[in-house]
Amino acid sequence: MLEIDNLTAGYDRTTVLHGVSLTVPDEGVVTVLGHNGAGKSTLLRAATGLLRPRGGTVRLDGEDITRLPAHRRVRRGMAYVPQGQQSFPHLTVRENLRLVADGQPSGAREATADALDLFPALRELMTRRAGLLSGGQRQQLALARALITRPRLLLLDEPTEGIQPSVVAEIQQTVLTLSARGGLSVLLVEQHIDFALRAADHYHVLEAGRITSQGAGDGEAESAVREALAV
């Protein structure tokens, strides 16, 4: 599905990623863990085409998309939910969803209904402006907007950050449900170690822009990850 090979990227004169390589398999979930400033968001921005790499390659289904603009990657089945519960704050929940649905070639009504089934609380908020939602509700809206595109590859940047615990549990369960359904690969950046490993087939620990530890997301991984992330 997604292959990132020897990726180098950064901003201005600062190099953030130093030769990062990882693979997200078909219908697999790969998580990336690391402290703030390790380069996790930079990795996702480079993978989605929002940041041009300085070196290395990004491949989707074997095709080199390293220089492909972000909107063309979306057409190939990528969807990105960035950090920060992003939405159009002056539009209602319904308008936020419709804005994405109207851009889909077909099946938008069914895709919207499926997304709302995953986040039923949004059905009662359809006329509320997104800027008036709680952080957890905005994150649910951001995820629903991404899912309307029927992605084959979903990239999530800290989907549970700064959200009340009850909604964190809902979002975690949604990610697990989506991965269990099949037909979707996920690249997840996450701070909650237990959730990250429970969701993952494979994990990577990123430190100062380099992968320092990796392994299978199984019951034996937690102690290794906590040791790798120990300050």
Side-chain angles (χ1 to χ4, degrees):
M1 169 60 77
L2 180 69
E3 300 170 79
I4 295 174
D5 183 30
N6 201 30
L7 193 68
T8 301
Y11 308 93
D12 297 326
R13 297 182 179 180
T14 302
T15 300
V16 177
L17 299 178
H18 304 270
V20 172
S21 299
L22 62 82
T23 298
V24 182
D26 288 340
E27 301 187 2
V29 180
V30 171
T31 58
V32 178
L33 303 103
H35 296 299
N36 291 334
K40 304 185 302 297
S41 294
T42 299
L43 174 63
L44 293 189
R45 287 176 57 82
T48 55
L50 296 175
L51 176 67
R52 175 166 289 189
R54 296 174 178 175
T57 57
V58 179
R59 295 184 180 88
L60 184 65
D61 295 329
E63 176 189 2
D64 188 343
I65 60 169
T66 310
R67 303 300 173 188
L68 205 65
H71 69 277
R72 292 181 63 184
R73 301 187 196 203
V74 171
R75 292 176 186 171
R76 283 165 168 75
M78 297 180 71
Y80 173 46
V81 181
Q83 198 172 16
Q85 305 103 43
Q86 295 188 12
S87 62
F88 294 98
H90 298 296
L91 299 181
T92 66
V93 169
R94 178 178 285 110
E95 290 167 339
N96 266 272
L97 296 173
R98 184 177 296 166
L99 194 64
V100 178
D102 287 348
Q104 302 310 303
S106 63
R109 179 176 296 180
E110 294 80 3
T112 301
D114 288 347
L116 290 173
D117 286 343
L118 289 168
F119 302 109
L122 292 178
R123 294 187 185 275
E124 301 177 4
L125 302 168
M126 297 295 278
T127 60
R128 185 173 299 182
R129 289 186 179 181
L132 300 178
L133 300 177
S134 69
Q137 291 165 342
R138 287 196 304 273
Q139 187 65 290
Q140 289 177 319
L141 176 58
L143 285 163
R145 282 163 44 88
L147 293 173
I148 288 174
T149 67
R150 298 282 198 196
R152 296 185 300 113
L153 174 63
L154 183 62
L155 300 99
L156 304 176
D157 193 354
E158 303 280 12
T160 64
E161 183 189 35
I163 296 174
Q164 58 268 39
S166 61
V167 181
V168 167
E170 292 181 21
I171 291 174
Q172 291 178 348
Q173 186 56 52
T174 298
V175 174
L176 294 171
T177 298
L178 289 170
S179 62
R181 281 183 179 178
L184 179 69
S185 299
V186 179
L187 179 56
L188 170 67
V189 165
E190 180 56 54
Q191 290 280 9
H192 289 80
I193 294 176
D194 55 347
F195 165 50
L197 296 180
R198 187 155 50 98
D201 299 302
H202 202 88
Y203 74 86
H204 298 265
V205 174
L206 197 62
E207 182 178 353
R210 293 179 171 87
I211 292 176
T212 58
S213 177
Q214 58 184 301
D218 54 27
E220 300 179 359
E222 184 173 350
S223 60
V225 172
R226 291 192 183 279
E227 182 178 350
L229 293 175
V231 178

